[in-house]
Amino acid sequence: MVSKSAERAGKSAGGGIVSSSHLVSPRSVEASEFEFGMIVAWNAFSRWMVRCMAAAGVPDLTVTDVLVLHHVNHRARHKKLADICFVLNYEDTHVVAYALKKLVAAGLLCTDKAGKDVFYLPTAEGEAAVRRYREVREACLMDNLDPQLNPDLGELARLLRTMSGLYDQAARAATSL
């Protein structure tokens, strides 16, 4: 006799869409489908951000560069490297530091020093680039989004934040093994 969880695992492993069938757990087949969905969605979202920024007139930025530029523009407050890494959930500060250096060199961000602290803020060109990005986003993405999906998107956003916490906790546990 086959257990219900094993039966579910077999059905999903055979009919579900996963990236690593060898990781499918009978405790949650859906987690493997979710992870594959995140992989595909992250890569599509990354490609979108880079191409949207290029269409806004700022080519040759990486996804990290675009994320950092948007975050530094967020709420028009000066940002420190550590705070940017914390909010964007980047563990490797060197990656973000490189993006900041690149954005400063491109004239999209500038620095302000207060004692030992270095703060980053957008330049007029950086603010203009973000405005153009928004215009492209409205035309290419938002115009095609069904407004009836908004409640589902909000629920999905809450689920992603919850899963992010679970993955962070699991990463800490795995580090201590």
Side-chain angles (χ1 to χ4, degrees), residues 150-167:
N150 286 341
D152 293 337
L153 290 175
E155 193 60 36
L156 182 58
R158 285 184 282 285
L159 175 62
L160 286 170
R161 286 191 301 272
T162 298
M163 293 304 296
S164 173
L166 290 173
Y167 282 113

Side-chain angles (χ1 to χ4, degrees), residues 1-7:
M1 177 159 197
V2 178
S3 73
K4 286 196 184 267
S5 61
E7 185 178 302

Side-chain angles (χ1 to χ4, degrees), residues 139-150:
C140 294
L141 181 66
M142 302 313 289
D143 283 353
N144 295 311
L145 182 65
D146 180 354
Q148 292 182 358
L149 290 177
N150 286 341

Side-chain angles (χ1 to χ4, degrees), residues 37 55 67 71 105 127 129 133 176-177:
L67 288 169
H71 182 64
E127 290 172 345
Y133 181 101
S176 67
L177 293 179

Side-chain angles (χ1 to χ4, degrees), residues 84-165:
I84 296 166
C85 291
F86 179 72
V87 169
L88 296 178
N89 204 14
Y90 272 80
E91 188 173 8
D92 190 350
T93 58
H94 295 89
V95 171
V96 176
Y98 180 73
L100 287 164
K101 183 177 178 180
K102 185 175 172 181
L103 293 166
V104 168
L108 300 170
L109 299 180
C110 61
T111 59
D112 184 25
K113 219 169 170 190
K116 290 191 211 179
D117 292 325
V118 177
F119 293 91
Y120 294 88
L121 57 150
T123 62
E125 179 59 30
E127 290 172 345
V130 169
R131 277 193 305 276
R132 290 189 307 269
Y133 181 101
R134 181 186 170 125
E135 292 167 4
V136 172
R137 182 176 182 265
E138 287 293 321
C140 294
L141 181 66
M142 302 313 289
D143 283 353
N144 295 311
L145 182 65
D146 180 354
Q148 292 182 358
L149 290 177
N150 286 341
D152 293 337
L153 290 175
E155 193 60 36
L156 182 58
R158 285 184 282 285
L159 175 62
L160 286 170
R161 286 191 301 272
T162 298
M163 293 304 296
S164 173

